Amino acid sequence: MTRNSAFESVRVGVPGGSIREHPFVPAALKGRSIVLVGLMGAGKTSIGRRLAARLGLPFRDADSEIEQAAGCTIAELFARYGERDFRNGERRVIRRLLAGEPLVLATGGGAFMDPGTRAAIRQEAVSIWLRCALPILLRRVVMRHTRPLLAEGDPGEILERLIAARHPVYAEADLVIDCADESPEATTGHVMDALLGWTPPRRLTVALSATSYDVVVGEGLLARAGALIAPYLPQKRAVVVTDESVSRLHLEPLCAGLAETAIETQAIVVPAGEPSKTLETYARVVDGLLEVGVERRTAVIALGGGVIGDLAGFAAATTLRGLPFVQMPTTLLAQVDSSVGGKTGVNTARGKNLVGAFHQPRLVLADTATLATLPERELRAGYAEIAKAGLIGDAAFFGWCERHGRGVVGGDRALQAEAVMRTCAFKAAAVGDDEREERAEDGRALLNLGHTFAHALEAEIGFGTILHGEAVAVGLGLAFRLSASLGYCAEADAERVVRHLMEIGLPAELGMLNRRLSAARLIGHMRRDKKVRDGTLTYVLVRGIGQAFTSRHVPEQAVLDLLRAEGCET
């Protein structure tokens, strides 16, 4: 027998029907296997058999499969090959088992500790941690002499060490079931209840030329933040950057969620609002990161709205020449826009986002439950970016917005999640096609529809006095009006856009701002826009709803005439 050959001979034959066909299987499983993890004595095998029977699925025990193939016990394999080689073989067995038809699989206590095994389980299955207290485990295993890890030493002390080492990793499982000292049948019932009530978060991937990352959308994700982000962190340490308002609402549950997987956290809290998006606050954040002794593998977590995401992202991009970065947006605007795409930066007296860097996150975690804490004005402002996605390149999505927009801003959680996913998917496609906005025409620059006007309004009225989404809504109306005046789209399209935004409660015309504005001053702000090239400003115009394009041939007089027609002074 060659080294590790015992593990190579496992063959998996899975009888029974597909998980997709069984009437009692939760829809969330979608043809995936179920993997039970936990310490020895947790009841993985006894509960697994019962769970499989209830679901009409085959059951397999990874340890039994290994022993049958090897012709010897787990203890003998440990003694013959050592733990490292045993884990390598165990990983191959589990991958092979999961590659077949769906099943219920009980794993050995150490299997989930292997990163490769965890990755395979995450890809192919739903993982369930059977969490037991030490006294329960001790009563169940104390008389067993076949456990290699209990062969030497006091079982209680060994189990305590295993709990300390393994529980933070088991916490990465999709579901956690606390097991009382009860019958396996009762615990199986709790597992079934958890599966039936489980709604997994939704995911989409932002694929870039050199990397990719996931956007995860769902309810209650902050409490599960450790399980969700641990696979993406190079070090179990993170510094959370947030603001005073958000910290009162969400910092404690986030830190508790991170602590579940033993991620050490520290926090940097800045004043809330757009005034914090400055070079001065950026310098404070960088100094705070250096003061707590971050290393190049220490992650920065941005917990908050777009201001925090841009500020923390810029600090992460530049501190120690780049730190890992995670976005946890808590506003609708940040969830659908600024958290995706890697743009970071701060404002200056000269304009918005004129100092910054591209720095892509490792993960975006959008907890829709945080939207319930937002004022209605903030929800409406975030909605402008949702409507913008449809106006740029998806007329059908804009139609969806017209039907469901009121529900999104009214707090319908399911509609909010759908809007976040669809908007992020649209933006992900644009970012993947033109990550650094370098294409001469169209490309990622299309995402700036309405923003040339919006940034000018923010600079003139005051960052934070008018919310970014409110300025974008006015900018969208102006972009369509300008396109119509230049003959690119029908005036009816512009009226339709303005009408919808007004129905949502957003300003869509300059007159709705109730301010005296100078056309010349707004044009002056536009000339300092980042999209100016060779002295010429690039506008995003439209040929109709869902048909945006870029143009560097817009006469300034046409813009002036539009602004005056909208009520601006000269």
Side-chain angles (χ1 to χ4, degrees):
M1 179 184 296
T2 59
R3 191 170 179 83
N4 286 330
S5 62
F7 300 107
E8 302 298 335
S9 60
V10 175
R11 296 290 183 267
V12 183
V14 183
S18 167
I19 195 169
R20 290 182 292 270
E21 300 167 356
H22 196 280
F24 302 111
V25 174
L29 294 179
K30 296 180 180 177
R32 297 163 71 83
S33 292
I34 298 172
V35 176
L36 301 179
V37 304
L39 284 171
M40 62 185 84
K44 300 185 293 293
T45 299
S46 59
I47 292 166
R49 291 186 188 281
R50 289 168 171 81
L51 183 64
R54 291 196 187 193
L55 296 174
L57 293 175
F59 171 76
R60 291 290 181 271
D61 182 289
D63 283 353
S64 296
E65 296 286 331
I66 293 169
E67 289 182 336
Q68 183 177 0
C72 59
T73 66
I74 297 295
E76 289 169 335
L77 287 170
F78 259 74
R80 185 177 304 170
Y81 298 115
E83 183 171 3
R84 186 183 68 175
D85 286 343
F86 173 82
R87 297 301 176 199
N88 289 337
E90 180 182 52
R91 184 191 318 123
R92 291 193 294 273
V93 168
I94 289 174
R95 282 178 171 169
R96 196 173 294 118
L97 286 162
L98 295 179
E101 286 294 309
L103 74 162
V104 176
L105 176 66
T107 61
F112 204 64
M113 300 299 294
D114 179 81
T117 301
R118 287 202 304 280
I121 293 172
R122 193 176 299 117
Q123 181 70 27
E124 302 291 342
V126 175
S127 52
I128 301 175
W129 174 23
L130 302 179
R131 180 166 58 185
C132 289
L134 175 60
I136 296 174
L137 294 175
L138 194 57
R139 283 198 298 273
R140 292 177 179 176
V141 305
V142 70
M143 300 305 294
R144 300 182 187 178
H145 304 292
T146 59
R147 303 282 183 172
L149 294 179
L150 297 180
E152 298 180 4
D154 176 80
E157 293 178 358
I158 293 171
L159 282 171
E160 278 189 309
R161 290 198 298 269
L162 290 174
I163 286 172
R166 292 184 178 182
H167 276 199
V169 178
Y170 291 159
E172 294 183 31
D174 295 307
L175 290 168
V176 180
I177 305 297
D178 282 307
C179 302
D181 196 4
E182 59 188 3
S183 70
E185 196 64 39
T187 302
T188 304
H190 300 323
V191 174
M192 279 294 297
D193 290 343
L195 281 170
L196 290 169
W198 181 55
T199 301
R202 301 170 69 178
R203 288 178 179 264
L204 66 90
T205 298
V206 181
L208 306 173
S209 58
T211 187
S212 66
Y213 57 90
D214 284 351
V215 179
V216 183
V217 180
E219 189 167 351
L221 301 189
L222 291 186
R224 294 281 295 154
L228 291 165
I229 75 170
Y232 303 91
L233 298 187
Q235 181 185 62
K236 282 205 166 183
R237 185 185 175 205
V239 179
V240 181
V241 179
T242 187
D243 68 40
E244 292 169 349
S245 297
V246 174
S247 67
R248 288 193 291 269
L249 295 168
H250 305 304
L251 183 58
E252 185 176 341
L254 170 60
C255 290
L258 295 171
E260 286 287 326
T261 54
I263 297 173
E264 176 191 340
T265 57
Q266 293 160 296
I268 296 173
V269 181
V270 302
E274 196 80 21
S276 282
K277 197 175 168 181
T278 63
L279 285 167
E280 292 74 20
T281 309
Y282 156 76
R284 282 180 48 206
V285 172
V286 171
D287 186 63
L289 292 171
L290 297 174
E291 184 179 8
V292 299
V294 293
E295 302 172 3
R296 297 191 73 176
R297 301 194 308 148
T298 305
V300 174
I301 296 175
L303 175 69
V307 168
I308 289 298
D310 285 0
L311 175 67
F314 187 33
T318 50
T319 303
L320 303 183
R321 294 192 174 93
L323 300 175
F325 175 46
V326 175
Q327 285 271 22
M328 293 190 183
T330 59
T331 67
L332 184 59
L333 182 65
Q335 289 185 2
V336 301
D337 182 46
S338 60
S339 63
V340 178
K343 284 186 175 180
T344 71
V346 296
N347 306 331
T348 75
R350 301 289 183 183
K352 187 178 178 71
N353 296 327
L354 294 182
V355 178
F358 285 96
H359 191 52
Q360 300 291 348
R362 297 286 182 98
L363 183 72
V364 178
L365 204 64
D367 186 344
T368 53
T370 63
L371 302 181
T373 66
L374 296 180
E376 188 175 346
R377 184 186 177 193
E378 290 276 0
L379 284 172
R380 289 197 300 265
Y383 180 81
E385 293 286 353
I386 296 172
K388 182 195 76 175
L391 295 174
I392 291 170
D394 190 343
F397 181 44
F398 184 70
W400 183 93
C401 290
E402 290 178 307
R403 295 189 300 274
H404 301 296
R406 290 182 179 178
V408 173
V409 298
D412 186 306
R413 205 65 58 79
L415 289 176
Q416 288 174 341
E418 180 70 15
V420 172
M421 285 295 293
R422 295 183 67 162
T423 308
C424 286
F426 179 83
K427 185 167 186 180
V431 170
D433 189 50
D434 183 21
E435 179 180 353
R436 293 180 175 267
E437 204 170 308
E438 295 171 331
R439 285 177 52 175
E441 295 181 353
D442 299 337
R444 182 172 179 167
L446 293 176
L447 296 173
N448 293 309
L449 178 65
H451 281 57
T452 299
F453 293 108
H455 289 167
L457 287 169
E458 289 178 281
E460 179 64 17
I461 296 173
F463 299 119
T465 302
I466 181 172
L467 299 181
H468 176 67
E470 294 168 340
V472 167
V474 176
L476 292 172
L478 290 172
F480 268 80
R481 298 270 194 220
L482 179 60
S483 298
S485 72
L486 294 172
Y488 291 118
C489 77
E491 184 64 37
D493 289 332
E495 293 296 337
R496 180 181 168 188
V497 171
V498 169
R499 181 172 58 252
H500 174 61
L501 294 173
M502 291 174 63
E503 287 174 352
I504 294 299
L506 284 163
E509 298 177 322
L510 283 176
M512 297 180 67
L513 299 179
N514 297 317
R515 290 181 177 271
R516 297 178 62 181
L517 297 168
S518 161
R521 284 181 61 84
L522 290 177
I523 291 287
H525 289 304
M526 291 182 201
R527 289 183 184 136
R528 292 194 288 270
D529 193 276
K530 300 185 297 300
K531 294 177 288 298
V532 171
R533 194 173 72 196
D534 299 327
T536 302
L537 183 60
T538 299
Y539 285 87
V540 183
L541 303 176
V542 294
R543 294 188 176 89
I545 290 173
Q547 302 176 62
F549 67 98
T550 57
S551 175
R552 301 181 67 238
H553 306 290
V554 177
E556 187 172 290
Q557 189 61 48
V559 181
L560 280 169
D561 291 345
L562 171 67
L563 293 175
R564 289 168 181 158
E566 290 285 312
C568 284
E569 301 173 351
T570 304

